[in-house]
Amino acid sequence: MSDTVALFRSYADKSHWKPSLGENGHKKALQDSSWADGLRGIAAVFVMCSHLTLAFARYIVRPADGENGPSSWMQRPIFRLVGQGPAWVALFFILSGFVNSLKPVKLARAGNVEPALSNLAVSSFRRSFRLFLPATAATILSWFITQFGAYETAKHSDAYWLYTTSPSPSSSWGTAVEDLVRAIRTTWLYNPENPYDQPQWALFYLLQGSMFVFCALLVTINLTPRWRTLALILCYFWSWNWGIKLGDRTYIIPPELGKNRVDTSAAMVGVNVFTGIMLADLNLSRYPLLFAQSSILFAPPLALFALFLMSFPSQFQPWAAWSNWLLKGFYVIAPENAELSRFWPTIGAQLLTFTIVMSPHFRRILSHQWFLFLGKISFPLYLLHGSFMRSVLSWLLFSRQELTQMEENGSAVMRYPLPGIPTFIVVMPVFMVILLTATHIWAIKVEPWFGVITKSAEDLMFGKHERVPSLPVRKD
């Protein structure tokens, strides 16, 4: 914990952050891409908040308390973003496309096509290892503590997300090993599912998105920026059609919500990744600097509108006037295979990222050291928050609660009731300190080992240690 406090102080001392930018500062701000780390950190925090919402405040999922009923302030647009997981997951995919393509696109725009292709191949190789290794380590950690009953309190609590995602111990250690291998394997298959760490469902799609980046740039890297953007726009709209074929499951929207159409719970990988690549090209163009002065006028309202779209609920859309208006708009403009619950949050996330790319002021804000700290721990936070919620947070919240009989799906069950608000006020800061300390330790102590393993695999598979000497040249 002392390490985390010291880190906070060092960030605060080093930041010397100034909220305003002069004319000379616009160009410098537009050359800095660290804002992507800050935005990723914010997205990771809100993904965790969405799981807290599903555990303890499920009423936020609804836009109102009944059809045309009253809405609390936490159910209204923008405020309800604490429970909007799909919107923040969409940002992960957009930023994945942006970050993975930024350097290759920069090299290509400078005419260095061969180095761009080499960088693209190496980064795609590293990406696979840097996703798989931490995810596997987090799964093993969660699996291990499961066998000792660490999730039993959460499994018998009245917190929905906790008891639905808490696995039970295996019947024997032999069975446990089989369960672990199965969990690691199914994380990277279609219908991705990891019983020991539910949020890892998105990692398969993140890896898929990295392959989309590789394939798209492999085809378009020789094109001029204008033609590359045109090709990516075509891929963007095309992916609305074939994206459903790469989804994990499909179902039909109930007729009462509108005309029958197929819906998919795929994460809309293509549309977000292609957006990220196009934004990388835009980021390196002259347009952000050209509109830098006027961005102070158009960026704030665009960002607010983007956050409004990101607030679209995944359920009960007709219950509030604003969400019903977006629901009707969906059936008018959305492509045939678009997913209802993710369409507007995805469009909003894309608009928000575009606004940030065009605004040196937003870039400057997101490059603050506090946000960069969140960006540094964003992946560990994504991987560890579920396990810590099902163990540490459950112990802190329910340790003084007694099992109480409750009715669930027409049958009686014994669960720990949710504690009162004063308990949450005391427990949540303690839990956040513990979680941030753990993720910080993971980032500085564990993550480097994944880098070492990735580098060793790269050297081995690329043959860097086995350079074959060239044959002697004949003198005749």
Side-chain angles (χ1 to χ4, degrees):
M1 188 178 301
S2 60
D3 290 341
T4 303
V5 173
L7 181 69
F8 285 164
R9 289 176 178 172
S10 66
Y11 276 134
D13 293 339
K14 292 188 296 183
S15 63
H16 301 296
W17 180 70
K18 297 178 182 179
S20 60
L21 286 173
E23 292 186 9
N24 295 332
H26 287 314
K27 188 171 183 180
K28 183 178 179 180
L30 293 172
Q31 291 173 342
D32 185 12
S33 61
S34 63
W35 61 268
D37 293 327
L39 184 58
R40 186 189 298 110
I42 293 173
V45 170
F46 272 91
V47 167
M48 179 189 67
C49 290
S50 71
H51 294 152
L52 289 170
T53 299
L54 289 174
F56 306 115
R58 291 177 64 196
Y59 75 94
I60 297 177
V61 175
R62 306 186 300 268
D65 294 329
E67 190 169 0
N68 298 320
S71 297
S72 67
W73 64 280
M74 287 299 294
Q75 293 174 311
R76 294 173 181 173
I78 300 180
F79 294 106
R80 60 178 290 106
L81 285 171
V82 295
Q84 287 296 105
W88 303 108
V89 171
L91 276 176
F92 281 139
F93 292 104
I94 297 169
L95 292 174
S96 176
F98 177 85
V99 173
N100 290 332
S101 62
L102 189 59
K103 188 172 182 179
V105 168
K106 184 177 181 179
L107 290 170
R109 291 175 71 99
N112 301 316
V113 175
E114 289 189 8
L117 289 172
S118 176
N119 177 270
L120 184 62
V122 172
S123 63
S124 298
F125 175 86
R126 292 172 179 169
R127 179 72 169 170
S128 302
F129 278 79
R130 297 311 296 267
L131 283 174
F132 177 78
L133 293 175
T136 301
T139 299
I140 294 173
L141 174 64
S142 180
W143 163 83
F144 183 75
I145 64 176
T146 296
Q147 307 312 315
F148 293 93
Y151 298 152
E152 289 305 295
T153 301
K155 192 174 183 64
H156 293 91
S157 71
D158 193 33
Y160 174 78
W161 191 83
L162 296 184
Y163 72 73
T164 56
T165 62
S166 296
S168 300
S170 304
S171 58
S172 66
W173 279 103
T175 304
V177 173
E178 294 177 1
D179 293 340
L180 173 63
V181 173
R182 186 182 303 108
I184 295 174
R185 182 177 64 87
T186 55
T187 301
W188 305 100
L189 299 178
Y190 283 108
N191 276 319
E193 182 179 2
N194 187 325
Y196 298 107
D197 193 13
Q198 184 271 342
Q200 288 196 29
W201 72 267
L203 300 186
F204 168 82
Y205 296 109
L206 284 171
L207 181 60
Q208 187 183 72
S210 299
M211 298 303 105
F212 284 0
V213 172
F214 177 80
C215 293
L217 289 183
L218 188 64
V219 173
T220 63
I221 201 72
N222 281 298
L223 303 182
T224 64
R226 179 175 301 176
W227 286 105
R228 180 167 51 248
T229 300
L230 178 60
L232 290 169
I233 290 174
L234 293 176
C235 289
Y236 175 89
F237 286 105
W238 191 22
S239 65
W240 286 104
N241 176 263
W242 52 255
I244 189 173
K245 304 300 182 183
L246 302 178
D248 52 346
R249 50 193 178 272
T250 58
Y251 55 93
I252 302 296
I253 299 176
E256 61 268 19
L257 295 184
K259 59 185 180 181
N260 280 340
R261 59 192 296 161
V262 176
D263 198 4
T264 172
S265 58
M268 293 190 175
V269 180
V271 293
N272 286 318
V273 168
F274 294 137
T275 296
I277 303 174
M278 288 188 284
L279 290 176
D281 238 325
L282 176 64
N283 179 75
L284 297 168
S285 71
R286 61 186 177 90
Y287 294 107
L289 185 60
L290 186 65
F291 290 95
Q293 295 289 347
S294 58
S295 66
I296 192 66
L297 299 177
F298 69 78
L302 270 183
L304 286 175
F305 183 62
L307 295 175
F308 170 76
L309 295 180
M310 291 168 65
S311 303
F312 184 72
S314 57
Q315 297 177 353
F316 310 108
Q317 298 89 356
W319 285 13
W322 67 272
S323 57
N324 192 41
W325 177 71
L326 289 177
L327 177 65
K328 294 177 180 178
F330 169 82
Y331 290 116
V332 173
I333 68 173
E336 181 180 358
N337 290 332
E339 183 192 345
L340 173 62
S341 64
R342 294 185 184 272
F343 177 76
W344 287 120
T346 294
I347 298 298
Q350 294 169 358
L351 180 59
L352 178 64
T353 314
F354 167 80
T355 304
I356 295 170
V357 169
M358 296 297 291
S359 171
H361 301 88
F362 284 164
R363 290 184 183 221
R364 178 70 169 168
I365 293 172
L366 291 171
S367 298
H368 189 273
Q369 295 293 340
W370 293 104
F371 293 130
L372 295 183
F373 168 74
L374 293 178
K376 180 181 178 181
I377 66 170
S378 59
F379 197 37
L381 180 62
Y382 186 85
L383 292 175
L384 297 179
H385 77 270
S387 297
F388 274 71
M389 284 176 59
R390 292 190 296 267
S391 55
V392 177
L393 181 59
S394 297
W395 302 336
L396 292 174
L397 286 176
F398 301 108
S399 61
R400 301 180 63 183
Q401 302 294 104
E402 297 289 339
L403 284 172
T404 304
Q405 182 173 309
M406 301 180 182
E407 184 177 342
E408 182 178 305
N409 298 325
S411 59
V413 295
M414 300 296 291
R415 296 200 179 280
Y416 296 108
L418 295 180
I421 293 178
T423 302
F424 278 95
I425 294 175
V426 173
V427 165
M428 290 309 298
V430 176
F431 169 71
M432 288 306 301
V433 170
I434 295 173
L435 178 61
L436 290 177
T437 300
T439 53
H440 171 54
I441 293 173
W442 181 286
I444 65 174
K445 299 294 185 181
V446 181
E447 283 284 349
W449 285 103
F450 301 139
V452 171
I453 297 173
T454 302
K455 183 65 168 61
S456 299
E458 179 184 338
D459 292 342
L460 175 65
M461 297 182 185
F462 283 37
K464 294 182 179 180
H465 295 318
E466 301 175 0
R467 294 297 183 187
V468 179
S470 58
L471 295 175
V473 179
R474 292 180 58 177
K475 302 263 182 180
D476 56 349

